[in-house]
Amino acid sequence: MGRPLVKPPVRKGPNRRQFFRQSGGGTAALAAATLMPLGSAMAAAVANVFQHGVASGDPLSDRVILWTRVTPVAGRGAVPVQYVVARDAALTQVVLRGSTKTNPDRDYTVKVDAAGLQPATTYYYQFKAEGVDSPIGRTRTLPVGQVDRLRMAVVSCSNHAYGYFNAYRHIAERADLDLVMHLGDYLYEYGTNQYGTARATEPAHEIVTLADYRMRHAQYKRDADLQAMHRQHPMIAIWDDHEITNDSWKDGAQNHTEGAEGVWADRVAQALKAYYEWMPTRVPDSANLRKNWRGFRYGDLAELLMLEERVSARSQQLPAGGQFTQTGAFTDPSRTLLGDTQEAWVASSLRNSKAQWKFLGQGVMFAQLKGVGAANAAGGGAFLNADQWDGYQPARDRIYDILKGNATTPGVNNVVVLTGDIHSSWAADLTQDPNNTDVTSGGYNRSTGEGSRAVEFVGTSVTSPGVNDPQGSTAAFLRSQNPHFKYIDLMRRGYMLIDATPQRVVGEWWYVDTVASISHVQAFGTAFEVQAGTNRLVPSAQTTPRANPPQLAP
């Protein structure tokens, strides 16, 4: 999802002065210089050695991944790196010190799994290399036991070439967040002016090799707003397709030409090697980098299950040629998004979870999306996007079987699906037969929400383009054909805010005014909530931030 209709050839980019203004390199250096009261020489050294900032991710109750990248003198071999973790931003209440090394084999990236920490605690950390201290980062561990609240930002589809990451800056300024969830398309593979013209890409061509992927990650990590978000909050991330290439599946992709762009398995391996080097995430299985699904327990309040839907098992997308119906190959039960192993893990995790809420963090829309609405008994109507779960309906039905249960296995309530990919905002009740008004036969009542088995919040993009719909007529038409959607906004960009308590989960949509330039303007869009035990959405209101949140990193 999210590709140019025609991929133009690479054109000459901006001049050097324009490039540094657009790429974020200049603003990253400025941001680093203002992080702490340093002299200009020391600020320049920090901006050079730690020009990609610091980050944290994959928090657990007793540990968290700390990340940075050292830019050494050319030709340098292994580089020693020290780190410190403290309870205060001044780094006086130190709880952990250590050292490690980085080298060219890992592109001089640094990952530390900082263990022995306390649950539900905010920590501050810093690295030191080449005689220079990094910026100070802030992170937080997950809680255990009884928990009364979770607040997290949810983002996806951050295309550097399409504009400025203003949404990331607003997230960085929210001191009361527990974490950020990134649902994929953290970066894009296209070359300069091929999918976005606001900022040039590094390298200028489409990325294919390990060196290419590393260079693109490095460019994104120089962006000042991305650095700010990473510096203030731990991130839990999954990839979608553009971290490799558009519309990826297990054995290929829409945007991969076998031979001319190398061997598919090699391209995936190189993309994922760079991903694990440059992202603050653990490697779930070093023998199989494609296996990226994993879970996080947020006390008794929430279970966060992150799904891999691209390169571990996905069957090839069927050619739809526009709208399609659930006939022929679309009804083949062997076609899958997750694969047998991951499906079994999802089933076991949902059925055995003791948490009040079960979140599925995943890449492509789960709810049915039709251009022509019809009940299943009348053929089900015409669907719009074969790359999302609509193209794999038997696999989706197996997830519904988990939610519904059967005579021997109880169903699962309080499931909230969180989705990215589609560059727009959606709130949906989840039902297998949304156009059937007879609830007794498995249908759905759009007025009451009866018949819904779970809910889905779909977040818009950070920068990537949606559908031009200034009057809302397209959104209105889609809602007329899809009664289970409670909210659709096809144009605006920004992020979601999820606020969960034992009683309800609220999803808020926040929008930036532009991505064409750096801006500090954001606006609240709307909110919907699901109350415990109901499995259906109702209108809600903007939630109140936590009082007295931990201090932001300086």
Side-chain angles (χ1 to χ4, degrees), residues 102-321:
T102 186
N103 57 62
D105 290 341
R106 55 177 303 108
D107 202 21
Y108 292 105
T109 58
V110 179
K111 268 190 188 179
V112 174
D113 201 347
L117 306 179
Q118 295 299 307
T121 303
T122 295
Y123 291 97
Y124 302 83
Y125 61 95
Q126 187 176 52
F127 295 93
K128 184 183 184 71
E130 307 286 77
V132 176
D133 291 330
S134 75
I136 296 173
R138 188 186 77 146
T139 191
R140 186 169 177 83
T141 52
L142 302 186
V144 297
Q146 187 172 354
V147 179
D148 61 1
R149 196 175 187 190
L150 163 65
R151 278 174 70 81
M152 62 181 174
V154 180
V155 289
S156 66
C157 304
S158 39
N159 185 346
H160 187 277
Y162 239 99
Y164 292 84
F165 295 158
N166 296 321
Y168 285 162
R169 176 64 62 174
H170 292 300
I171 293 170
E173 293 168 350
R174 288 184 175 269
D176 71 325
L177 298 182
D178 297 294
L179 58 94
V180 174
M181 181 182 288
H182 202 297
L183 295 177
D185 295 342
Y186 180 96
L187 54 72
Y188 282 70
E189 80 275 17
Y190 297 106
T192 296
N193 296 328
Q194 290 183 339
Y195 190 41
T197 59
R199 298 193 279 185
T201 64
E202 294 182 14
H205 56 265
E206 181 180 328
I207 53 177
V208 175
T209 68
L210 176 59
D212 292 342
Y213 283 103
R214 284 171 165 174
M215 187 178 294
R216 190 64 56 85
H217 275 282
Q219 180 184 27
Y220 274 63
K221 284 291 199 303
R222 287 202 311 274
D223 183 273
D225 295 326
L226 175 58
Q227 284 192 20
M229 180 183 67
H230 273 306
R231 195 162 58 85
Q232 301 296 352
H233 306 297
M235 176 180 283
I236 296 175
I238 54 169
W239 58 67
D240 191 33
D241 52 346
H242 290 290
E243 287 88 347
I244 303 167
T245 193
N246 185 67
D247 284 2
S248 301
W249 59 287
K250 184 169 71 73
D251 295 321
Q254 177 273 331
N255 192 29
H256 175 76
T257 303
E258 193 75 6
E261 294 180 314
V263 176
W264 173 247
D266 293 341
R267 185 174 185 178
V268 174
Q270 291 160 356
L272 297 187
K273 176 174 171 57
Y275 182 91
Y276 282 117
E277 288 171 346
W278 281 86
M279 295 294 289
T281 182
R282 290 182 184 83
V283 180
D285 185 349
S286 59
N288 180 10
L289 296 184
R290 299 188 186 205
K291 182 181 176 181
N292 191 40
W293 61 87
R294 60 209 196 279
F296 300 85
R297 183 168 299 171
Y298 198 85
D300 65 353
L301 180 62
E303 194 97 24
L304 311 179
L305 304 179
M306 308 300 290
L307 309 187
E308 199 293 313
E309 296 175 341
R310 287 293 176 183
V311 294
S312 62
R314 181 196 270 255
S315 305
Q316 185 173 10
Q317 299 89 336
L318 292 174

Side-chain angles (χ1 to χ4, degrees), residues 523-543:
F524 170 74
T526 193
F528 282 83
E529 71 178 63
V530 53
Q531 297 165 7
T534 66
N535 301 322
R536 65 196 68 166
L537 292 173
V538 294
S540 189
Q542 182 178 335
T543 57

Side-chain angles (χ1 to χ4, degrees), residues 5 11 61 73 93 102 179 239 265 302 313-314 320 378 389 407-408 414 427 442 451-452 463 517:
L5 295 178
R11 299 191 296 272
S61 62
V73 175
Q93 303 172 31
T102 186
L179 58 94
W239 58 67
R314 181 196 270 255
W389 281 89
T408 59
N414 297 338
S452 179
T463 59
S517 61

